[in-house]
Amino acid sequence: MKKTNICIIENSTITVHEGIIFESQNTTFQEFAKEAYKSLDLNYPKFHKMDSLSKLAFLSAEMLLKNQDNNRTALVFANKSSSLDTDFKYQESINSEDAYFPSPAVFVYTLPNICVGEISIRHQMQTENAFFVLDEFDENFLNDYAQQILQSGKAEKVLCGWVELYQESYKAFVYLLTL
């Protein structure tokens, strides 16, 4: 297998192939993501409704998948915190004295695999996808899983990656694999 593209998002910077694509002075993830979306001219209105983890995964995938035929591309992602950042926000909406009932708009994102679903919808992917929760980034595990998908013929490419986000700590390391 070979890596054909790599995208890293951290510290308010988006890097593709070791070149900076976008950089911001904003220190909060929400402001950085909003500014990146506008600056990169990503036309996908559902972006504004996504939780932070989905925005992180979406931005990294968009850097590698835009303007390509992604019909036969699978997705294999992982992180450590699952959807814990959004889970806390959902719990806060339950505990809020002002709320009559918890927010269904937040509840939708209380599963980490929603971010691969958002990417699949955006790029009309109908292939394999998986989201693993691991103690740490394990590139060998992701690559072995991707290799099984590629060798089975279920996909021609696999977008693999680590998309970790909890509060204001975030990092995406996403790459495209082919045989």
Side-chain angles (χ1 to χ4, degrees):
M1 287 189 311
K2 60 182 174 184
K3 284 184 192 173
T4 59
N5 293 318
I6 298 172
C7 175
I8 299 171
I9 300 177
E10 64 183 337
N11 303 322
S12 300
T13 303
I14 300 174
T15 306
V16 178
H17 304 303
E18 299 181 14
I20 295 175
I21 300 297
F22 176 79
E23 195 168 23
S24 172
Q25 298 303 313
N26 282 311
T27 56
T28 68
F29 177 77
Q30 283 294 345
E31 289 301 313
F32 161 72
K34 186 189 308 183
E35 188 180 344
Y37 175 86
K38 287 179 184 177
S39 175
L40 297 168
D41 198 27
L42 303 175
N43 185 21
Y44 193 66
K46 283 182 62 178
F47 179 84
H48 302 291
K49 295 180 181 182
M50 293 180 194
D51 73 326
S52 294
L53 178 62
S54 295
K55 287 179 180 178
L56 178 63
F58 181 89
L59 287 170
S60 60
E62 201 63 19
M63 297 301 99
L64 302 181
L65 299 177
K66 65 182 175 185
N67 303 322
Q68 289 191 40
D69 176 11
N70 296 303
N71 192 31
R72 303 242 325 123
T73 303
L75 299 166
V76 179
F77 280 28
N79 76 4
K80 180 178 182 173
S81 298
S82 184
S83 59
L84 194 56
D85 186 70
T86 302
D87 295 347
F88 277 125
K89 289 176 181 145
Y90 182 67
Q91 185 63 45
E92 286 174 358
S93 78
I94 291 172
N95 296 341
S96 172
E97 292 180 18
D98 298 330
Y100 181 68
F101 57 89
S103 171
V106 176
F107 177 74
V108 168
Y109 292 97
T110 58
L111 294 172
N113 66 344
I114 295 301
C115 63
V116 295
E118 293 284 5
I119 295 165
S120 295
I121 292 166
R122 164 71 166 174
H123 293 282
Q124 300 175 352
M125 298 171 160
Q126 297 178 7
T127 55
E128 299 289 316
N129 69 64
F131 196 109
F132 297 98
V133 179
L134 307 170
D135 286 334
E136 59 188 19
F137 176 54
D138 187 344
E139 189 170 356
N140 290 330
F141 174 82
L142 296 177
N143 291 352
D144 288 347
Y145 196 89
Q147 186 171 12
Q148 290 176 18
I149 293 171
L150 291 168
Q151 288 176 339
S152 74
K154 293 179 181 177
E156 295 171 356
K157 302 179 276 187
V158 180
L159 185 67
C160 292
W162 180 258
V163 287
E164 172 63 19
L165 183 136
Y166 181 66
Q167 295 176 339
E168 286 304 316
S169 176
Y170 63 92
K171 180 174 184 173
F173 177 79
V174 178
Y175 53 97
L176 203 53
L177 289 176
T178 60
L179 280 179

